[in-house]
Amino acid sequence: QVQLVQSGAEVKKPGASVTVSCKASGYTFINSAIHWVRQAPGQRLEWMGWINPANGVTGYSQNFQGRVTMTRDTSASTAYMEVSSLRSEDAAVYYCVRVTKYHFEYWGQGTRVTVSS
Amino acid sequence: QSALTQPPSASGSLGQSVTISCTGTSGDIGRYNYVSWYQQYPGKAPKLIIYEVNGRPSGVPDRFSGSTSGYTASLTVSGLQAEDEADYYCSSYAGSDLWVFGGGTKLTVL
């Protein structure tokens, strides 16, 4: 079965960077885009962007352009999402999601990122 | 990109029906039949319940149905059950490899 397993919770200081990983299994990793979605405490889901694991091409929401970088390691069937210059508003649960056509079908368990001095 | 507009809350009694709206623009809901809906319990990852406006993934009860009209998508939950109490989010493809979510609706079962 399709599974996306994310890395564990992180605590970072303002201005630092954080990288969240997402290991895929149960399907051919390069055949489906991986998207990232975040959810601040008590807030809505916010779409961040996507990566095509086959060629590394990415697309970002304008809200995150320039501060978020998505990469992948095809040999490890793992996608990565880095957020730089962290600020308090970046405290959230970050989800990786496998998209099927245009809907978010398979979700990782989420990674909580805390930003605190 | 602006978030799709959902009512913050909705409610209905056990066994009744409730409809949650999701309003977008001519660039997303009004242009593409790629509206999807997600159910989220506290502390859990969202779960896909409707895709491509009215498609239902395997295992999702047929009490859940979707539709669109103009720039507005709707999720209807019929025969409300206690376990339907959750947050619901809509999403739409917005063209140019961009996606957008709604603000979320908290459904209370009375």
Side-chain angles (χ1 to χ4, degrees), chain A residues 50-85:
Chain A
W50 56 269
I51 183 168
N52 180 341
N55 55 21
V57 173
T58 55
Y60 301 110
S61 163
Q62 63 186 31
N63 294 337
F64 297 96
Q65 191 85 38
R67 215 162 56 86
V68 169
T69 304
M70 297 175 188
T71 57
R72 93 292 189 216
D73 179 347
T74 55
S75 66
S77 297
T78 300
Y80 301 91
M81 189 277 304
E82 178 188 24
V83 182
S84 61
S85 303

Side-chain angles (χ1 to χ4, degrees), chain A residues 3-96:
Chain A
Q3 274 197 307
L4 299 173
V5 178
Q6 299 182 222
S7 48
E10 302 265 12
V11 179
K12 296 291 182 180
K13 295 187 185 304
S17 297
V18 67
T19 298
V20 179
S21 67
C22 171
K23 183 171 177 58
S25 61
Y27 72 101
T28 303
F29 179 62
I30 61 172
N31 284 354
S32 299
I34 293 289
H35 290 232
W36 290 87
V37 176
R38 81 175 185 183
Q39 186 171 36
Q43 300 301 308
R44 69 178 186 93
L45 300 173
E46 187 174 17
W47 180 77
M48 299 178 68
W50 56 269
I51 183 168
N52 180 341
N55 55 21
V57 173
T58 55
Y60 301 110
S61 163
Q62 63 186 31
N63 294 337
F64 297 96
Q65 191 85 38
R67 215 162 56 86
V68 169
T69 304
M70 297 175 188
T71 57
R72 93 292 189 216
D73 179 347
T74 55
S75 66
S77 297
T78 300
Y80 301 91
M81 189 277 304
E82 178 188 24
V83 182
S84 61
S85 303
L86 285 167
R87 33 202 194 226
S88 57
E89 311 89 89
D90 294 318
V93 175
Y94 290 78
Y95 295 101
C96 63

Side-chain angles (χ1 to χ4, degrees), chain B residues 2-82:
Chain B
S2 299
L4 305 174
T5 301
Q6 296 182 235
S9 62
S11 62
S13 300
L14 280 170
Q16 288 191 331
S17 294
V18 66
T19 296
I20 298 171
S21 63
C22 169
T23 301
T25 68
S26 60
D28 39 61
I29 294 176
R31 177 169 295 184
Y32 303 100
N33 287 324
Y34 296 131
V35 177
S36 50
W37 289 89
Y38 304 85
Q39 177 189 61
Q40 186 182 34
Y41 293 113
K44 300 294 186 183
K47 172 190 172 185
L48 175 70
I49 57 173
I50 295 289
Y51 65 93
E52 292 175 12
V53 177
N54 55 15
R56 233 183 355 263
S58 173
V60 174
D62 59 7
R63 301 185 294 102
F64 293 90
S65 62
S67 64
T68 60
S69 177
Y71 301 164
T72 299
S74 298
L75 172 71
T76 297
V77 187
S78 307
L80 273 173
Q81 299 185 5

